[in-house]
Amino acid sequence: MTKKATEIREEFLKYFERNGHQIIKSSRLIPDGDPTLLFTNAGMNQFKNTFLGVETRDYTRAASSQKCVRAGGKHNDLENVGFTARHHTFFEMLGNFSFGDYFKKEAIHFGWEFVTKAMGLDKKRLYVSVYEKDDEAADIWHKQEGVPKDRIYRFGEKDNFWRMGNSGPCGPCSEIFYDLGDSVPGDPKENVMGGSGDRFMEIWNLVFMQYNESEDGKRVSLPKPSVDTGMGLERATSVLQGQISNYDTDLFQPLIQTVEKIAGVEYIRDFKAIKGEQKKVFNERNVAMRVLADHGRATAFLIGDGVLPSNEGRGYVLRRIMRRAIRYGRNLSPEKSILPYVVEKVIEEMGPAYPELELQREHILATARDEEKRFFSTLDQGLQILQIEFSEMYKSAKKVVDGKFVFKLYDTFGFPADLTRVIARERGYEIDEATFENQIEAAREIARSSWKGKGLSASEAHLIKETQILQKSAGSTEFSGYEGVVSDQGQIVFLSDGQQVVRSLKREQTGIIALNKTCFYAESGGQVGDVGQITSASGQAEVLDCTKLNDIHIHHVKVVDGELSVDELAHLKVDSLKRASTANNHSATHLLHSALRKVLGAHVTQAGSLVSAERLRFDFTHNRPLSFLEVEAIEGLVNVEVAAGNEIETKIMSPKEAIDAGALALFGEKYGDNVRVLRMGNFSTELCGGTHTKNTAQIRFFKIVSEGGVSSGVRRIEAITGELAARYLEKNTRENSEARVACGLQENWQQYLNSESRVAVWIERAKEEKKLLEKEIQSLRATKIDIDNLVQNSEKFLIDNIEGVYVFADLEISDRELLSQTCDRLRDKIKSGIVVAIARGEESNPIIVSLTKNLVGPLNAGKILAAVAAILGGKGGGRPDFAQGAVKDLSKIKQAREKVNDFFQKI
């Protein structure tokens, strides 16, 4: 019986729930606390620390349907998408997991029972594979589940042995394959079990983590072996719906039908009656529609999870995905917008299973439309640049396009490399692929480094292992800093000099201290770590920062007196003034977030933040600059809540209870089984683990000091509170009063409050008057320029039997229009020749080169201007008889004059 994809997902989760598994919600596509991953790419990612033994949960069996993206780093399927039946950037991974509970027997039984009974697959079309040395798994498949021995295949480490990394948990894996039948196209020699053909499709992979492998390759059995399995929903759906291609299932067809409707083209499902060139055209259309369907899914989910198109890190990958889709869409319909409509269909189709899509609907669609608009102009620009390059290659008889040029076109202008390849081949050119790949790899390294974020230096890497050991043996650091606690005692349990573990740290040494208990807040959720002092009976250290690793608070210190040793009891004291200021700013951030949503709309979500003692910085999703009135409205709402003096209530509850109660979860936070919920009157309710004021009145005053764009679809507000905000307001008031006196606007305070801002009007009017006066002065200067004297001091030349005069004029005017008029006067005076005229502007200096008509051909104004401008640090262009530009460095005007003199002397 044919099943819908939604039914398969639901049945999978219900099956494992009946078998004692906790159903876990999909984690975000941005991995929480894992700098080794660009995107979540497997179901086990969110359980990584549980498998490593660093994190414990109150269940030992779990199942999930996990959102995944493979489009960057090690797992990168991007360029294959659209051309094959099963490559995707976004996919869903159904998985069941055991954390030291059941192992091979149960895992194999669950897998086989689900595919043969719940899914109803024919056993005669199923095959399994095992690691070549895993006799235990082979026996279980045969003896327990009755799989014939001739359907059990043994493969080596490449195919059937799994590792988390160069060292750590590892083990054999076993896979279930489905035979799609002999109708699958391809080479019969490849369409065999273990071959590279498409006939035998892997639908489920069961990983048995039973060893811990050291870097030298030695394996030790784990005391509690675990299980990690994964079945791609897209593949399972294609099998149950009787399709060879995933794109012919109900996961993709509604999206492809949307493309058909907008573009007015048909997706061909049967090519038997189509031949020759027509077949090629229809296949190219199919590829484009598959790309749009797949990339539309990735676009919706990535933006929904907080990624935005940019030129680095995750945003760079998203931009590549979106622009690849937009380009294919333009191939189908040069005039129509397609990708945003596909994205909208994704939200409609998948919103019920993933509510975050519906919640972020307006933001996702606005971002998709904005990126498409940007890229349409990029495509036109890129095609022009490419045409110029091809013209130059034709002149020089080159047949290979420089890889550096291809990369620059791709990296600087966003022009897809595969489109450059297609156009180049149509013209008979090849691409220097080696150079291009070298440039791409260098860019990838930059991208990788940009998303690793703040972490540990190579010399501090030992802390990862040591804090894991500490967490397992003594548990997480107890934090006592909530409720305003800034002083406490704790026992020193760990010391490091930054290179290695030590027993003590002496005067002038810097290092790391961990205690069993601390009142120092560790950097998290955008809030900076506390600073202060740690004092023991034998020494004292300044705490320069506090961060967190494996739930252990890491105090970054410098010893200022005596020495500190392991096992000593220490007194901890946080800098209370900085803590209080930071708390003010953090509570104000919550009020700001709520105010933004009320003024701008519910599409606003947090896209990043920084909370320190000096200021707060808040990044949020919004597609246009804020007006002065909007900024005033936001400030007003926040300050009303500050003045209201609402108590800030804190409750501990489960994440689900918090969300159901209306709490807003903050971007980038990882929430455990219990969360802190902060409520500020009826204005703001958010999940947050930071430190806050007890009452909104303690914030005193809130002032926005800047608002601007960070990237496409993201704005940034910086604001200050408390004493700093009061000082800022006082300075603004004083400067405004002084300005009003200077402008002669001295009405009483009641008139001032009820009138519009007249200072700005006065200043703008004064600026306009100044501009007019300056123009009059420039005109007077221009009329006083001695044209006859300039001509008399000119140089004569002869070229192609044409006599001419060369004038180089360095003029004390700044207006380009007046400069052009002066050039015309000089040119008309000399009758035959060339005029090079330079003016003196405020920021840059205009330059004009003008030729009389009789010298066009032998001379070129544009080339002469380029030579002069290059010396003076500028550029420009124009017609053969007239060119203009701007230069910066007039200190080299003598060299420029000599360059032109030399040119005409040679003539």
Side-chain angles (χ1 to χ4, degrees):
M1 183 181 73
T2 300
K3 291 180 185 285
K4 293 181 179 178
T6 53
E7 294 172 333
I8 299 168
R9 185 194 299 116
E10 190 176 340
E11 283 188 24
F12 177 88
L13 296 175
K14 284 184 175 178
Y15 170 83
F16 282 100
E17 189 173 34
R18 288 195 302 270
N19 284 282
H21 292 67
Q22 180 82 27
I23 305 306
I24 305 300
K25 182 185 173 184
S26 170
S27 64
R28 296 190 315 143
L29 288 169
I30 302 173
D32 289 311
D34 189 348
T36 65
L37 286 176
L38 191 61
F39 298 113
T40 299
N41 59 19
M44 64 80 62
N45 290 161
Q46 67 170 310
F47 304 113
K48 181 177 176 180
N49 284 343
T50 309
F51 283 123
L52 289 169
V54 174
E55 182 182 284
T56 57
R57 299 181 181 234
D58 58 5
Y59 49 84
T60 56
R61 298 181 176 197
S64 68
S65 178
Q66 175 63 50
K67 302 176 289 189
C68 298
V69 163
R70 290 185 180 174
K74 178 182 175 184
H75 302 287
N76 187 358
D77 294 339
L78 184 59
E79 297 304 326
N80 293 318
V81 172
F83 294 92
T84 69
R86 292 190 279 276
H87 275 102
H88 303 293
T89 52
F90 172 87
F91 60 95
E92 291 180 78
M93 187 61 77
L94 306 173
N96 61 289
F97 310 91
S98 165
F99 313 117
D101 188 324
Y102 60 80
F103 200 46
K104 292 181 185 179
K105 288 179 69 173
E106 295 86 348
I108 288 171
H109 174 70
F110 289 145
W112 191 251
E113 183 176 66
F114 184 78
V115 297
T116 57
K117 293 184 179 179
M119 290 175 66
L121 297 185
D122 184 357
K123 292 182 180 179
K124 293 179 181 178
R125 300 183 76 167
L126 294 173
Y127 294 78
V128 299
S129 69
V130 298
Y131 176 49
E132 58 190 356
K133 297 178 182 178
D134 194 355
D135 297 331
E136 181 187 6
D139 286 344
I140 294 169
W141 280 114
H142 176 59
K143 294 175 182 177
Q144 178 179 287
E145 305 303 331
V147 178
K149 287 187 176 181
D150 62 353
R151 287 177 176 266
I152 302 171
Y153 286 73
R154 292 175 181 259
F155 297 124
E157 286 201 10
K158 180 184 174 185
D159 297 304
N160 280 77
F161 198 89
W162 179 90
R163 290 176 174 84
M164 187 177 285
N166 294 329
S167 62
C170 64
C173 59
S174 184
E175 298 165 318
I176 302 175
F177 290 81
Y178 182 79
D179 182 3
L180 293 170
D182 55 14
S183 62
V184 174
D187 186 347
K189 293 179 182 177
E190 296 297 334
N191 272 337
V192 295
M193 263 296 292
S196 58
D198 288 335
R199 175 172 172 173
F200 292 87
M201 180 170 68
E202 175 209 327
I203 58 171
W204 206 332
N205 186 16
L206 300 90
V207 176
F208 308 122
M209 283 187 266
Q210 64 185 98
Y211 304 112
N212 188 52
E213 187 173 63
S214 59
E215 291 186 0
D216 60 6
K218 291 180 181 177
R219 295 174 192 162
V220 178
S221 295
L222 291 169
K224 287 186 177 180
S226 298
V227 173
D228 159 28
T229 82
M231 176 169 67
L233 177 62
E234 291 74 16
R235 293 189 176 204
T237 304
S238 69
V239 168
L240 286 171
Q241 293 181 3
Q243 302 295 341
I244 292 172
S245 171
N246 293 351
Y247 292 97
D248 292 333
T249 68
D250 68 343
L251 283 167
F252 293 92
Q253 278 302 301
L255 311 180
I256 288 172
Q257 287 160 14
T258 298
V259 179
E260 286 181 301
K261 184 178 177 181
I262 296 168
V265 296
E266 183 184 359
Y267 183 79
I268 304 300
R269 292 159 181 84
D270 186 359
F271 277 88
K272 289 177 183 175
I274 301 172
K275 301 186 184 298
E277 189 64 27
Q278 195 177 27
K279 185 174 182 178
K280 179 186 175 185
V281 171
F282 282 124
N283 185 57
E284 287 174 354
R285 286 181 184 172
N286 276 15
V287 168
M289 285 188 265
R290 288 194 291 265
V291 167
L292 279 157
D294 174 272
H295 291 8
R297 287 173 16 126
T299 296
F301 277 94
L302 283 169
I303 296 172
D305 273 358
V307 183
L308 287 160
S310 68
N311 289 327
E312 60 181 22
R314 296 181 176 104
Y316 182 66
V317 177
L318 172 60
R319 174 161 279 169
R320 285 187 64 201
I321 291 170
M322 293 180 73
R323 292 192 167 189
R324 187 170 185 259
I326 294 164
R327 197 266 293 180
Y328 273 104
R330 204 171 195 197
N331 287 353
L332 294 174
S333 177
E335 304 300 327
K336 292 180 180 177
S337 165
I338 298 179
L339 179 63
Y341 291 99
V342 177
V343 170
E344 188 171 23
K345 190 66 176 177
V346 173
I347 296 170
E348 178 188 321
E349 291 288 318
M350 303 192 74
Y354 297 97
E356 61 268 29
L357 291 177
E358 199 58 57
L359 286 171
Q360 298 286 331
R361 179 187 184 87
E362 292 308 314
H363 168 58
I364 293 169
L365 293 176
T367 305
R369 293 186 194 110
D370 183 59
E371 186 65 16
E372 184 179 65
K373 184 180 177 182
R374 287 167 180 261
F375 190 46
F376 276 159
S377 60
T378 295
L379 271 175
D380 294 335
Q381 183 184 23
L383 287 169
Q384 290 175 4
I385 295 168
L386 198 56
Q387 182 58 47
I388 293 168
E389 179 70 9
F390 287 154
S391 297
E392 293 298 321
M393 289 179 65
Y394 178 77
K395 291 175 185 175
S396 59
K398 286 172 64 178
K399 287 293 181 183
V400 180
V401 183
D402 187 354
K404 288 182 180 178
F405 168 79
V406 178
F407 176 75
K408 183 179 178 181
L409 199 59
Y410 165 70
D411 190 56
T412 305
F413 300 99
F415 198 79
D418 52 351
L419 181 57
T420 303
R421 289 188 188 95
V422 169
I423 298 172
R425 283 167 190 161
E426 287 172 354
R427 304 290 184 91
Y429 299 119
E430 292 297 322
I431 303 293
D432 178 2
E433 297 288 357
T435 302
F436 174 70
E437 285 302 323
N438 288 338
Q439 297 285 312
I440 283 287
E441 186 54 39
R444 282 179 185 145
E445 280 302 317
I446 294 170
R448 289 185 195 114
S449 63
S450 76
W451 53 260
K452 284 181 180 176
K454 182 177 179 179
L456 301 167
S457 66
S459 61
E460 293 175 320
H462 70 286
L463 292 174
I464 297 173
K465 181 179 178 182
E466 296 299 333
T467 51
Q468 287 174 357
I469 295 169
L470 192 58
Q471 206 278 340
K472 288 176 73 173
S473 62
S476 304
T477 306
E478 181 185 344
F479 178 59
S480 62
Y482 292 130
E483 307 306 325
V485 175
V486 293
S487 181
D488 208 341
Q489 286 189 328
Q491 185 178 25
I492 298 174
V493 295
F494 171 82
L495 288 171
S496 166
D497 64 2
Q499 305 287 331
Q500 60 189 347
V501 177
V502 294
R503 293 293 299 174
S504 65
L505 287 173
K506 294 180 173 60
R507 180 182 170 86
E508 296 301 320
Q509 275 191 295
T510 57
I512 304 293
I513 295 179
L515 304 101
N516 66 333
K517 184 181 181 183
T518 185
C519 55
F520 281 83
Y521 182 82
E523 179 184 352
S524 179
Q527 180 177 330
V528 299
D530 281 330
V531 296
Q533 295 88 34
I534 294 177
T535 307
S536 73
S538 59
Q540 185 180 54
E542 291 289 334
V543 179
L544 309 174
D545 195 5
C546 186
T547 57
K548 192 187 290 186
L549 186 61
N550 295 318
D551 282 333
I552 302 296
H553 283 54
I554 302 295
H555 304 76
H556 302 258
V557 302
K558 179 178 181 180
V559 180
V560 294
D561 188 36
E563 67 177 328
L564 296 172
S565 302
V566 172
D567 296 332
E568 273 192 306
L569 189 66
H571 179 74
L572 291 75
K573 187 177 180 182
V574 173
D575 185 318
S576 58
L577 288 177
K578 287 190 174 181
R579 162 73 74 82
S581 296
T582 302
N584 282 348
N585 288 334
H586 203 153
S587 296
T589 301
H590 285 224
L591 295 175
L592 169 62
H593 192 182
S594 187
L596 284 165
R597 289 170 68 86
K598 285 176 170 59
V599 174
L600 304 178
H603 66 278
V604 169
T605 56
Q606 182 174 334
S609 72
L610 172 70
V611 179
S612 69
E614 292 76 28
R615 64 187 170 116
L616 67 93
R617 187 183 74 207
F618 191 80
D619 297 345
F620 59 98
T621 54
H622 193 58
N623 280 78
R624 59 175 176 78
L626 272 59
S627 68
F628 285 118
L629 288 176
E630 286 171 331
V631 171
E632 283 181 3
I634 291 160
E635 282 184 343
L637 282 175
V638 174
N639 282 315
V640 165
E641 294 304 311
V642 170
N646 290 313
E647 293 294 322
I648 297 179
E649 302 172 15
T650 303
K651 289 185 179 179
I652 307 297
M653 56 182 78
S654 71
K656 186 178 186 304
E657 289 172 334
I659 301 298
D660 290 344
L664 196 64
L666 289 183
F667 172 88
E669 279 290 281
K670 183 179 180 182
Y671 300 109
D673 297 332
N674 292 304
V675 295
R676 297 179 79 242
V677 180
L678 270 79
R679 184 181 179 88
M680 302 181 190
N682 295 319
F683 192 77
S684 169
T685 306
E686 293 192 7
L687 280 64
C688 184
T691 59
H692 289 266
T693 60
K694 293 181 182 297
N695 187 296
T696 58
Q698 291 175 273
I699 297 170
R700 286 184 61 193
F701 188 71
F702 171 84
K703 179 63 185 169
I704 293 173
V705 293
S706 72
E707 188 278 331
V710 178
S711 60
S712 174
V714 178
R715 307 297 297 175
R716 171 173 290 174
I717 278 177
E718 291 198 9
I720 51 180
T721 64
E723 178 64 26
L724 203 59
R727 282 169 47 203
Y728 183 89
L729 188 65
E730 287 167 2
K731 189 171 190 291
N732 259 358
T733 303
R734 185 173 64 252
E735 287 183 350
N736 183 51
S737 297
E738 291 169 353
R740 297 181 74 79
V741 170
C743 296
L745 305 170
Q746 295 174 302
E747 68 271 70
N748 65 45
W749 66 269
Q750 288 151 317
Q751 291 173 322
Y752 171 62
L753 278 178
N754 295 318
S755 65
E756 293 183 6
S757 177
R758 295 200 293 151
V759 173
V761 173
W762 190 95
I763 291 171
E764 285 302 318
R765 188 170 64 240
K767 283 165 68 177
E768 285 299 317
E769 290 174 358
K770 179 173 177 282
K771 212 183 273 184
L772 289 170
L773 289 170
E774 285 177 344
K775 194 157 189 177
E776 285 182 25
I777 293 168
Q778 292 288 325
S779 297
L780 287 170
R781 283 179 177 171
T783 57
K784 290 187 176 183
I785 292 172
D786 192 341
I787 300 294
D788 291 332
N789 184 54
L790 286 169
V791 173
Q792 286 172 8
N793 290 305
S794 61
E795 300 285 339
K796 293 181 180 180
F797 63 87
L798 180 70
I799 184 169
D800 289 355
N801 292 319
I802 303 172
E803 288 185 354
V805 173
Y806 149 57
V807 179
F808 192 105
D810 178 11
L811 305 173
E812 290 292 331
I813 57 175
S814 60
D815 186 79
R816 185 177 290 276
E817 187 180 337
L818 290 173
L819 182 69
S820 179
Q821 291 172 7
T822 304
C823 267
D824 289 345
R825 289 168 61 199
L826 282 166
R827 188 194 60 218
D828 294 343
K829 182 77 175 176
I830 61 177
K831 306 295 184 188
S832 175
I834 178 171
V835 177
V836 178
I838 300 173
R840 294 174 179 269
E842 289 183 9
E843 294 182 2
S844 64
N845 307 288
I847 179 172
I848 292 177
V849 176
S850 182
L851 286 178
T852 53
K853 296 290 184 185
N854 64 325
L855 286 168
V856 175
L859 295 175
N860 184 295
K863 289 184 178 179
I864 294 170
L865 183 138
V868 175
I871 296 170
L872 301 177
K875 58 184 179 180
R879 305 188 306 270
D881 66 320
F882 182 87
Q884 59 183 329
V887 296
K888 293 180 181 179
D889 187 7
L890 292 185
S891 66
K892 295 181 179 177
I893 200 163
K894 185 179 177 182
Q895 292 96 306
R897 186 193 292 269
E898 288 172 354
K899 174 92 174 178
V900 182
N901 283 340
D902 289 346
F903 172 77
F904 283 108
Q905 283 175 7
K906 287 176 183 176
I907 290 175

